[in-house]
Amino acid sequence: NAGVMQNPRHLVRRRGQEARLRCSPMKGHSHVYWYRQLPEEGLKFMVYLQKENIIDESGMPKERFSAEFPKEGPSILRIQQVVRGDSAAYFCASSQGQGEETQYFGPGTRLLVL
Amino acid sequence: ILNVEQSPQSLHVQEGDSTNFTCSFPSSNFYALHWYRWETAKSPEALFVMTLNGDEKKKGRISATLNTKEGYSYLYIKGSQPEDSATYLCAFSRSNTGKLIFGQGTTLQVKP
């Protein structure tokens, strides 16, 4: 059973460009979470999605960031008009259920904004 | 503001030593406490999920306890090995939505 897959692993963007980060959950998992690790900081929750639904987006910046988890295909975290402060490691996790279910993490996407 | 505090921030021990570290979290509206092991350049690896006051979990030489009334969890490593060197993260959730609030981690270095 493949683990959580994220791509790309590294992404370089210039200021003003768009960044698209993809996450394929573990097989059989329908719950996806995105976390961000800014330089010198810990993991911070961004958003929790189930298929076709955003359940909790309390950690998402109000502007330029969006997330989706379509019926088919991976979950996408989209950052429009990136700025240098968006440079971070973005981690995706998936779980079979919610609540006390274990969240399994992917390897992360390291975004660098020049 | 919900804060999860881990101590110590870093720890250096000799191979064979036993060690433990602490995770403190708000005790009100507790739902679950997670422990992860995170090696550099790898994904955080799930160790334990605990929900009940007094829970104790064990995985090989690593074990954890939970006190939800006073808001802390301990992680113990018995007979540390160099391969135990990693950052150990705890994360707390207040509801069943799965939103995890992470501590800053304890970085363990085990010297051979």
Side-chain angles (χ1 to χ4, degrees):
Chain A
N1 189 4
V4 177
M5 311 284 282
Q6 287 189 251
N7 69 82
R9 295 289 303 275
H10 299 273
L11 184 61
V12 179
R13 284 286 178 267
R14 296 195 179 279
R15 281 179 297 169
Q17 292 184 317
E18 179 179 285
R20 280 187 179 233
L21 287 59
R22 292 174 190 77
C23 169
S24 296
M26 284 178 71
K27 189 176 180 181
H29 287 192
S30 58
H31 301 255
V32 165
Y33 313 82
W34 286 93
Y35 294 86
R36 177 168 70 171
Q37 185 187 30
L38 292 167
E40 308 302 321
E41 294 190 17
L43 287 168
K44 296 284 196 302
F45 170 82
M46 298 182 77
V47 62
Y48 163 40
L49 310 106
Q50 292 180 27
K51 285 284 187 182
E52 300 183 281
N53 284 308
I54 296 174
I55 308 302
D56 182 347
E57 56 181 346
S58 57
M60 288 279 269
K62 299 295 180 196
E63 296 175 349
R64 301 186 296 106
F65 284 70
S66 62
E68 61 177 12
F69 189 17
K71 191 176 179 181
E72 302 289 338
S75 175
I76 307 283
L77 180 68
R78 183 182 176 207
I79 312 172
Q80 294 178 288
Q81 299 173 339
V82 295
V83 300
R84 288 213 174 111
D86 297 333
S87 296
Y90 292 83
F91 290 89
C92 167
S94 73
S95 67
Q96 202 163 31
Q98 63 186 54
E100 70 270 24
E101 293 283 335
T102 297
Q103 294 183 22
Y104 295 89
F105 278 77
T109 294
R110 270 82 180 163
L111 172 66
L112 176 63
V113 180
L114 301 176
Chain B
I1 296 176
L2 301 175
N3 277 330
V4 177
E5 303 286 341
Q6 290 189 246
S7 64
Q9 191 173 354
S10 64
L11 195 55
H12 294 254
V13 301
Q14 289 293 135
E15 182 176 355
D17 287 351
S18 293
T19 187
N20 65 84
F21 8 101
T22 306
C23 172
S24 301
F25 53 87
S27 56
S28 60
N29 300 321
F30 171 86
Y31 194 82
L33 193 285
H34 299 239
W35 279 100
Y36 286 87
R37 180 174 176 276
W38 196 2
E39 287 183 73
T40 304
K42 294 187 177 180
S43 312
E45 174 196 351
L47 290 174
F48 307 114
V49 181
M50 296 183 287
T51 57
L52 298 175
N53 185 44
D55 256 354
E56 291 188 26
K57 296 265 175 115
K58 188 174 181 183
K59 188 176 183 179
R61 293 180 292 99
I62 305 177
S63 60
T65 60
L66 178 67
N67 183 322
T68 60
K69 292 184 178 179
E70 295 182 38
Y72 64 83
S73 175
Y74 292 137
L75 188 80
Y76 301 91
I77 302 179
K78 186 177 177 183
S80 303
Q81 300 296 309
E83 58 264 30
D84 295 329
S85 298
T87 295
Y88 291 83
L89 297 173
C90 74
F92 146 87
S93 65
R94 247 190 177 175
S95 68
N96 66 353
T97 65
K99 172 181 177 177
L100 294 182
I101 299 162
F102 279 87
Q104 293 287 90
T106 293
T107 299
L108 174 68
Q109 189 75 29
V110 182
K111 297 176 185 175

